[in-house]
Amino acid sequence: MKSAVVTIKELSFLSGYSISTVSKALNNKKDISSETRSTIQNIAKQHNYIPNNYAVALRNKVSKSIAVIIPKLTEGFYSKALCVLQKEADIKNYRMLFYQSFGCEKKERTYLNSLNDGSIYGIIVISDDDSKINDYANYTMPIEVLNIKSFYTDDQIQLGSVQSLSKLLGA
C-alpha cells in the first residue's frame, strides 16, 4: 500500500522539475525563477506537501525534537513528569517523542542507540535510579537524567522536570 505522504521526489515527478529545483523552490531559494518557484509551491500546496522534519534536521544538523525515555507511563509520578516536560517543550517550540522502557535496561539502550542518529536534539531519561547519571558518557548527543522518586511531591517533580529540560536545551 502506497503512503499518502507526498515526497519531494513525487513533487519532482508531478512538476516535471528536478528534485534539486523542487527543493530550492520549497526553500524559497532565489537562484530559480519566481515563476518556477510559484508553480512548484502551488503543486506542493495542492498535494498537501509537508516537509519531513527528520530529513530537514539531518541536513541542517539542527532538530527541534527531543526524546524522553520513561520506565512506565502508568506510574503517576512518571506521567506527571512527562506532562510537565511536554508543556515546557511546547513552550520552547520542541516536539517530544516518548518511549517506554518498562524498566528494562536493554530496551533503554536499544532506544538510546537508535536515537543517536542525529534526528533529535537530545534525550531525557527518566529514572528512579541515582546511579544512571554516569551511564551515558559514551553517547554523542546531549542526554539528561531526570531522577524522580515515588515519594516526590508534585512541586518537586515539576521543578526537576523543568530544570532537566532547561539543562538539556542549554537554557
Side-chain angles (χ1 to χ4, degrees):
M1 177 187 264
K2 188 160 173 62
S3 171
V5 177
V6 177
T7 66
I8 284 183
K9 188 175 182 179
E10 290 167 323
L11 288 177
S12 172
F13 176 78
L14 292 168
S15 68
Y17 291 99
S18 71
I19 294 171
S20 174
T21 300
V22 171
S23 176
K24 289 177 182 181
L26 295 174
N27 290 301
N28 284 318
K29 301 293 182 184
K30 302 299 180 198
D31 56 341
I32 60 171
S33 73
S34 58
E35 183 181 326
T36 299
R37 188 171 32 259
S38 178
T39 298
I40 293 169
Q41 288 176 348
N42 285 335
I43 292 170
K45 187 174 183 179
Q46 289 171 0
H47 292 277
N48 298 318
Y49 172 75
I50 298 171
N52 180 327
N53 288 320
Y54 294 108
V56 171
L58 287 171
R59 184 179 70 239
N60 296 335
K61 295 183 173 68
V62 176
S63 175
K64 296 292 277 184
S65 298
I66 59 168
V68 177
I69 300 175
I70 186 168
K72 194 171 182 186
L73 185 60
T74 56
E75 292 290 340
F77 52 100
Y78 291 140
S79 61
K80 285 177 189 169
L82 190 61
C83 183
V84 172
L85 289 169
Q86 178 71 55
K87 286 179 183 177
E88 291 297 313
D90 283 346
I91 290 168
K92 297 175 188 299
N93 294 315
Y94 276 79
R95 297 183 329 162
M96 194 172 83
L97 310 166
F98 80 92
Y99 300 82
Q100 284 189 91
S101 66
F102 300 103
C104 175
E105 193 167 320
K106 184 177 179 184
K107 188 177 274 293
E108 185 178 291
R109 293 279 177 200
T110 299
Y111 292 145
L112 286 165
N113 290 333
S114 69
L115 292 166
N116 202 23
D117 65 358
S119 63
I120 61 167
Y121 178 81
I123 302 171
I124 295 176
V125 178
I126 300 177
S127 176
D128 65 355
D129 183 354
D130 294 331
S131 68
K132 287 234 181 234
I133 293 171
N134 300 318
D135 286 356
Y136 308 111
N138 294 330
Y139 289 92
T140 57
M141 75 173 53
I143 298 176
E144 182 66 27
V145 177
L146 173 53
N147 200 321
I148 296 180
K149 306 287 188 197
S150 61
F151 57 82
Y152 280 9
T153 66
D154 288 353
D155 288 342
Q156 288 173 307
I157 292 171
Q158 179 162 348
L159 179 63
S161 300
V162 169
Q163 288 175 338
S164 185
L165 182 62
S166 292
K167 189 173 177 185
L168 179 75
L169 300 178

